[in-house]
Amino acid sequence: MASYKKSLGRPRANDLKKPTEQTILEAATSLFLNQGYQEVSIDEVASKAHVTKATVYYYYASKADLFTESMVQMMYRIQKQIDTVLNRDEPLQVRLKEITKAHLQATVHIDMNGFMRETRSALTKEQIQSIQQAEENMYSSIEIAIQNAIQKNEIPHHIHPKFVAHTYIALLQVGNYRNANNEPIFSSVDKMVDQILQFFWNGLDHK
Amino acid sequence: MASYKKSLGRPRANDLKKPTEQTILEAATSLFLNQGYQEVSIDEVASKAHVTKATVYYYYASKADLFTESMVQMMYRIQKQIDTVLNRDEPLQVRLKEITKAHLQATVHIDMNGFMRETRSALTKEQIQSIQQAEENMYSSIEIAIQNAIQKNEIPHHIHPKFVAHTYIALLQVGNYRNANNEPIFSSVDKMVDQILQFFWNGLDHK
Amino acid sequence: MASYKKSLGRPRANDLKKPTEQTILEAATSLFLNQGYQEVSIDEVASKAHVTKATVYYYYASKADLFTESMVQMMYRIQKQIDTVLNRDEPLQVRLKEITKAHLQATVHIDMNGFMRETRSALTKEQIQSIQQAEENMYSSIEIAIQNAIQKNEIPHHIHPKFVAHTYIALLQVGNYRNANNEPIFSSVDKMVDQILQFFWNGLDHK
Amino acid sequence: MASYKKSLGRPRANDLKKPTEQTILEAATSLFLNQGYQEVSIDEVASKAHVTKATVYYYYASKADLFTESMVQMMYRIQKQIDTVLNRDEPLQVRLKEITKAHLQATVHIDMNGFMRETRSALTKEQIQSIQQAEENMYSSIEIAIQNAIQKNEIPHHIHPKFVAHTYIALLQVGNYRNANNEPIFSSVDKMVDQILQFFWNGLDHK
DNA sequence: TATGAATGAGACTTCATTCAT
DNA sequence: CATGAATGAAGTCTCATTCAT
């Protein structure tokens, strides 16, 4: 099915070819994020990674496995990126602004809630837990930043960090909304970022 | 798959029975909401509605059709319920509290964003538009309530009604979050409702 | 499924409505001839006859029945037409010319051979025989005309009437051939008719 | 439906075996010729080729594809056979006799006209053209032989080669006719061959 | 390491037919 | 006379998975 051809013999080392395993995972991640679990076929993944279906199975025992590893790796990467920003020595407001902007500019949006509904019945309990763990780690990063900000009196003491972390992520989704004509709520990303953060910051401040 | 048996031909009249068409639609709605488009098979819908696959096709030309009509009808129903509450002569805060509580207690949560990713490629343009239209109508209801509240000076003049409407719905999603152990953020629904509304109300109030 | 509406009540007698049964048969004949047995669905027949599927079944016990009656009636009609011409008091050559021309101008061509291959397994033995009988009657008409022509010394004595009758029908098929671009062998029907008859007449004349 | 069992995965190599692809094509050809397009199910083809339905789809993307390739390959084979005989250095009459006899003895008869009516709506334009092209190639072979015979003065100059080629094939069909009792027109094949050729030869000779 | 060949299970869909009204 | 509602059986096609090479 795949018509892609490789030249014969062992590939030269300086081809700086990514290991096949990683190539496959990246192809899978992108497809799963854009189309959802069921819509993506192993053939599609294989074709996008320029290998054959059997090769995908050589590295990943099942589609559910491939999905799980894709999601976990992706969330891990996002978490690292968030962490990098959050660990800077700047006011929380500044750091969140950067994260918010980055998220709204990315083409790929995470919305695990919707994802899992479709996927749940195809995964084992362990696989579901792996993914949810990775998701919670993402939330935890933000939660910790909130807690630190509380200690630095950047935000009120009485707020609930976990709730606020989720609130923040939920507000990000608003920035990704498009109506039937594919138009966002505000025409510029910057406007959107400002509105979201202002709303979020106000929301925290309940005297 | 269907174990329920009926004999061939037109069934004897029975006034107590809901029309088959509606029975099927309800079965479909519930399944689609819980499992997503791809995970639900027509056989499952049929079996849940106590009819055969062929009967489903007698009323709905395709799975995509059935899905579209399910979603549109469902969102229409939700919109009506929201409208009923919103049209009461009470402070907005009181009315939103009721809606929030109702939503968090319902077992079914709408999250069209995630839904459509999975489904997009299976639907025609017209079908997608139908669904998105119904979704926008839901948001509009809230938007209008916001606008009315602005005129009554219940909330500040400078806020953006559409943005706020989306914000509100996004916050509702937080109330539906469950972690890997299926635990919500707060143990009681009432607590959750209060927190969401307080955050929302604060968020509006940016002096 | 059929959206066609009739006005209420018993139709007026002077509507000169063809009896429903015949309307259905005509719709069926035309569809079967153009698309073959399997390609035509009862729904299509019903829709073309402006009745519902159930009405078709009210008059014809099965699709195979409907097909059989369609074919038999059609061949009977063709036979009558051929007979009318053949019974005239003119040279055989003149009479055949008329039949040939009529056949080549008709949009519908009979080719029972091909038809029956597709249909055989769907019909009962009796139904197949009915159709083949009707077909043979058609051939017989021509055969008899040949025999009469022999007695009138219009054509040689030693020829085999049945063989010649089949030969004649086979040559008619040549006139219906269209190549990949839908072009016939000769550009005008008259040219085709002349060539076929000249070939046929020569063919008979084996001294 | 298929009762023949094989285990999953790639089968052990076995040089004696015809390639699966060809086995399937042959099974398909025979079934299509005898029963027509619609009557043949992929399951039947698979079962006749001792593979599963999925294997058929591994090699042929759709039923229409399988049909197209079957017909094209079959006509190509017939054309080659005809060519082999036609290219011999013998009088045309002798060569046609051999072809005629071979055709009447074969169990499989080509009658594309009837075939295509039933099939047209299931094939793409390209597929129909492929088949018609293969058919025309068959006719061309004969046409060319006719033209050569004209140059060698074996048959009159004034005849129209394409028309005559079609005439010849049409006459072959007469030899395949069977009445309601499955009896041919003449009891022996040799008699039939003689009659057809005599008629054909006479037909050509119109002074 | 990588893959071509094959399969089993299941999905969507169509359609002839039946039956109470 | 005519039909709306329902079904059973079958058909095409997809896809995750397996296995010998």
Side-chain angles (χ1 to χ4, degrees):
Chain A
M1 223 141 268
S3 62
Y4 180 87
K5 285 282 176 189
K6 274 196 234 140
S7 48
L8 286 173
R10 170 191 262 218
R12 268 170 300 154
N14 63 1
D15 264 0
L16 20 104
K17 204 182 50 113
K18 240 173 295 184
T20 306
E21 193 172 356
Q22 185 61 24
T23 308
I24 293 171
L25 201 61
E26 282 166 23
T29 303
S30 141
L31 289 170
F32 282 136
L33 284 176
N34 286 308
Q35 302 175 204
Y37 183 74
Q38 297 288 352
E39 276 294 312
V40 175
S41 75
I42 296 288
D43 253 325
E44 245 175 307
V45 173
S47 152
K48 182 158 190 176
H50 298 304
V51 297
T52 61
K53 221 186 333 193
T55 304
V56 175
Y57 276 93
Y58 180 78
Y59 288 105
Y60 299 93
S62 69
K63 186 183 177 183
D65 252 40
L66 177 57
F67 178 77
T68 303
E69 299 208 22
S70 291
M71 292 302 104
V72 168
Q73 203 200 51
M74 177 207 65
M75 287 193 277
Y76 182 75
R77 245 174 6 226
I78 293 182
Q79 197 203 329
K80 285 296 143 220
Q81 287 166 13
I82 290 179
D83 278 350
T84 304
V85 177
L86 286 181
N87 285 330
R88 291 204 200 131
D89 187 19
E90 291 173 325
L92 181 60
Q93 220 167 356
V94 171
R95 288 173 284 156
L96 282 186
K97 181 161 190 169
E98 183 160 343
I99 291 174
T100 305
K101 195 163 179 182
H103 184 85
L104 295 194
Q105 283 171 336
T107 39
V108 154
H109 313 304
I110 353 107
D111 169 21
M112 277 299 132
N113 281 9
F115 241 132
M116 295 316 276
R117 173 180 33 227
E118 172 199 3
T119 316
R120 196 160 5 247
S121 77
L123 305 188
T124 67
K125 254 180 210 155
E126 290 73 33
Q127 291 169 330
I128 294 177
Q129 288 236 330
S130 292
I131 294 179
Q132 289 188 323
Q133 192 54 60
E135 193 189 0
E136 279 186 44
N137 290 344
M138 269 174 44
Y139 281 113
S140 285
S141 284
I142 297 177
E143 222 177 302
I144 290 170
I146 303 279
Q147 279 168 333
N148 291 338
I150 290 176
Q151 283 174 354
K152 292 185 186 159
N153 282 314
E154 285 189 280
I155 53 178
H157 266 74
H158 54 284
I159 68 128
H160 187 292
K162 187 194 288 265
F163 171 71
V164 167
H166 281 266
T167 291
Y168 172 69
I169 298 283
L171 289 177
L172 286 183
Q173 307 286 342
V174 174
N176 296 137
Y177 178 81
R178 298 291 180 278
N179 73 4
N181 298 319
N182 203 36
E183 298 155 349
I185 296 172
F186 296 113
S187 47
S188 92
V189 169
D190 284 328
K191 186 83 190 284
M192 188 82 238
V193 171
D194 284 347
Q195 293 285 315
I196 288 177
L197 284 176
Q198 195 172 29
F199 193 99
F200 179 65
W201 217 253
N202 278 344
L204 292 176
D205 186 30
H206 43 136
K207 291 129 298 194
Chain B
M1 218 145 264
S3 62
Y4 185 91
K5 285 283 174 186
K6 239 185 280 180
S7 51
L8 263 177
R10 175 189 265 212
R12 243 166 289 170
N14 172 350
D15 289 7
L16 299 177
K17 229 194 44 177
K18 225 180 304 182
T20 306
E21 193 172 353
Q22 186 60 27
T23 309
I24 293 171
L25 202 60
E26 282 165 23
T29 303
S30 140
L31 289 169
F32 282 136
L33 284 175
N34 286 309
Q35 311 187 50
Y37 183 75
Q38 298 288 352
E39 275 296 312
V40 175
S41 77
I42 296 288
D43 249 325
E44 248 175 306
V45 174
S47 155
K48 181 158 190 179
H50 297 304
V51 295
T52 59
K53 231 187 320 194
T55 302
V56 175
Y57 278 97
Y58 180 75
Y59 290 104
Y60 300 93
S62 67
K63 185 182 178 184
D65 253 38
L66 177 58
F67 179 76
T68 303
E69 298 209 22
S70 291
M71 292 302 106
V72 168
Q73 204 201 53
M74 176 208 65
M75 287 192 276
Y76 182 76
R77 250 182 353 236
I78 293 182
Q79 196 202 329
K80 284 297 143 219
Q81 287 166 13
I82 290 180
D83 278 350
T84 304
V85 176
L86 286 182
N87 285 329
R88 289 202 201 134
D89 188 20
E90 293 175 324
L92 181 59
Q93 222 168 355
V94 172
R95 287 174 284 155
L96 282 186
K97 180 160 191 171
E98 184 160 343
I99 291 175
T100 306
K101 196 164 179 183
H103 185 85
L104 295 194
Q105 284 171 335
T107 39
V108 153
H109 313 304
I110 352 109
D111 168 22
M112 278 299 130
N113 281 11
F115 243 133
M116 295 317 276
R117 172 183 29 232
E118 172 200 1
T119 316
R120 204 172 341 262
S121 76
L123 304 190
T124 66
K125 255 180 209 157
E126 290 74 35
Q127 290 169 331
I128 293 177
Q129 287 237 330
S130 293
I131 294 179
Q132 288 188 323
Q133 191 55 59
E135 194 189 359
E136 279 186 43
N137 291 344
M138 270 175 43
Y139 282 113
S140 286
S141 285
I142 297 176
E143 221 177 304
I144 290 171
I146 303 279
Q147 280 168 333
N148 291 337
I150 291 177
Q151 283 174 351
K152 292 185 187 161
N153 283 312
E154 286 188 277
I155 52 179
H157 267 75
H158 54 283
I159 68 130
H160 186 293
K162 187 193 288 262
F163 171 70
V164 167
H166 282 266
T167 292
Y168 172 69
I169 298 284
L171 290 177
L172 286 182
Q173 307 286 343
V174 175
N176 296 137
Y177 178 81
R178 298 292 179 276
N179 73 4
N181 298 318
N182 202 35
E183 298 156 349
I185 296 173
F186 296 113
S187 49
S188 93
V189 170
D190 284 328
K191 186 81 190 286
M192 187 82 237
V193 171
D194 284 346
Q195 293 285 316
I196 288 177
L197 283 175
Q198 196 172 30
F199 192 98
F200 179 66
W201 217 252
N202 278 344
L204 292 177
D205 187 28
H206 40 135
K207 302 126 291 197
Chain C
M1 224 139 266
S3 62
Y4 180 87
K5 285 282 176 193
K6 271 194 239 151
S7 47
L8 287 173
R10 170 192 262 215
R12 268 169 300 155
N14 63 2
D15 264 2
L16 20 101
K17 208 183 47 119
K18 239 173 295 184
T20 305
E21 193 172 356
Q22 186 60 24
T23 309
I24 292 171
L25 201 61
E26 283 166 22
T29 304
S30 141
L31 289 169
F32 282 136
L33 284 176
N34 286 308
Q35 302 173 206
Y37 183 74
Q38 297 288 354
E39 275 294 312
V40 174
S41 75
I42 297 288
D43 253 325
E44 245 176 307
V45 173
S47 152
K48 182 158 190 178
H50 298 302
V51 296
T52 61
K53 224 189 325 197
T55 304
V56 174
Y57 276 93
Y58 180 78
Y59 288 106
Y60 299 93
S62 69
K63 185 182 178 184
D65 253 39
L66 177 58
F67 178 76
T68 304
E69 298 207 22
S70 290
M71 292 302 105
V72 168
Q73 203 201 54
M74 176 208 64
M75 287 193 276
Y76 182 74
R77 250 182 353 235
I78 293 182
Q79 197 202 328
K80 284 297 144 216
Q81 288 166 12
I82 291 180
D83 277 352
T84 303
V85 177
L86 287 181
N87 285 330
R88 290 203 199 131
D89 187 19
E90 293 173 324
L92 180 59
Q93 222 167 352
V94 172
R95 287 173 285 156
L96 282 186
K97 181 161 191 169
E98 185 160 342
I99 292 174
T100 304
K101 196 165 180 182
H103 185 86
L104 294 194
Q105 284 171 334
T107 39
V108 153
H109 313 304
I110 354 107
D111 169 21
M112 278 300 131
N113 281 11
F115 242 132
M116 295 316 277
R117 173 183 29 229
E118 173 200 2
T119 315
R120 202 166 352 256
S121 76
L123 305 188
T124 66
K125 254 180 210 157
E126 291 73 33
Q127 291 169 329
I128 293 177
Q129 288 236 330
S130 292
I131 295 178
Q132 289 189 323
Q133 191 54 61
E135 194 189 359
E136 279 186 43
N137 290 344
M138 270 175 43
Y139 282 112
S140 286
S141 284
I142 297 175
E143 222 177 303
I144 290 171
I146 304 279
Q147 279 168 335
N148 290 338
I150 292 177
Q151 282 174 353
K152 292 185 187 163
N153 282 314
E154 286 189 279
I155 51 179
H157 267 74
H158 54 283
I159 69 128
H160 186 292
K162 187 193 289 263
F163 170 71
V164 167
H166 281 266
T167 291
Y168 172 69
I169 298 284
L171 289 177
L172 286 184
Q173 307 285 345
V174 174
N176 295 137
Y177 178 81
R178 297 291 179 277
N179 73 4
N181 298 318
N182 204 35
E183 298 156 348
I185 297 172
F186 295 114
S187 48
S188 93
V189 170
D190 284 327
K191 184 84 191 282
M192 187 82 236
V193 171
D194 283 348
Q195 294 285 315
I196 288 177
L197 284 176
Q198 195 172 30
F199 192 99
F200 179 65
W201 216 252
N202 277 345
L204 292 176
D205 186 30
H206 42 135
K207 303 125 291 194
Chain D
M1 218 144 267
S3 62
Y4 185 92
K5 286 283 174 186
K6 238 185 280 178
S7 50
L8 263 176
R10 174 189 266 214
R12 242 167 288 169
N14 173 351
D15 290 6
L16 298 177
K17 228 193 43 171
K18 223 180 306 183
T20 306
E21 193 172 355
Q22 186 60 27
T23 309
I24 293 171
L25 202 62
E26 282 166 23
T29 303
S30 139
L31 288 169
F32 282 136
L33 284 175
N34 286 309
Q35 311 187 51
Y37 183 75
Q38 298 288 353
E39 275 296 312
V40 175
S41 77
I42 296 289
D43 249 325
E44 247 175 306
V45 174
S47 156
K48 182 158 189 179
H50 297 303
V51 295
T52 60
K53 229 186 324 194
T55 303
V56 175
Y57 278 98
Y58 180 76
Y59 289 104
Y60 300 94
S62 68
K63 187 182 176 183
D65 253 39
L66 177 57
F67 178 75
T68 304
E69 298 208 22
S70 291
M71 292 302 106
V72 168
Q73 202 199 55
M74 176 208 66
M75 288 193 274
Y76 182 75
R77 249 181 353 235
I78 293 182
Q79 196 202 328
K80 286 294 144 223
Q81 287 166 12
I82 291 180
D83 278 352
T84 304
V85 176
L86 286 181
N87 285 330
R88 290 201 200 133
D89 189 20
E90 291 175 326
L92 181 59
Q93 221 167 356
V94 173
R95 287 174 284 156
L96 283 185
K97 181 162 190 166
E98 184 158 343
I99 291 173
T100 306
K101 195 164 180 182
H103 184 85
L104 295 193
Q105 284 171 334
T107 39
V108 154
H109 313 305
I110 352 108
D111 169 21
M112 278 299 132
N113 281 10
F115 243 133
M116 295 317 275
R117 172 182 32 230
E118 172 200 1
T119 315
R120 201 170 347 259
S121 76
L123 304 190
T124 66
K125 253 180 211 158
E126 291 74 34
Q127 290 169 331
I128 294 177
Q129 287 237 330
S130 292
I131 296 179
Q132 288 188 324
Q133 191 55 61
E135 194 190 359
E136 279 186 43
N137 290 344
M138 269 175 44
Y139 281 113
S140 286
S141 285
I142 297 176
E143 221 178 302
I144 290 170
I146 303 278
Q147 279 169 333
N148 291 338
I150 290 177
Q151 283 174 350
K152 291 185 186 162
N153 282 314
E154 285 189 277
I155 53 179
H157 267 74
H158 55 284
I159 68 130
H160 187 292
K162 186 193 290 263
F163 170 71
V164 166
H166 281 265
T167 291
Y168 172 69
I169 297 285
L171 289 176
L172 286 183
Q173 306 285 343
V174 174
N176 296 136
Y177 179 81
R178 297 293 180 276
N179 72 4
N181 298 318
N182 203 36
E183 298 155 349
I185 296 172
F186 296 111
S187 48
S188 93
V189 169
D190 284 329
K191 185 81 190 285
M192 187 82 238
V193 170
D194 283 347
Q195 293 285 315
I196 288 177
L197 282 175
Q198 196 172 29
F199 191 99
F200 179 65
W201 218 252
N202 277 343
L204 291 177
D205 186 29
H206 42 133
K207 293 130 296 196

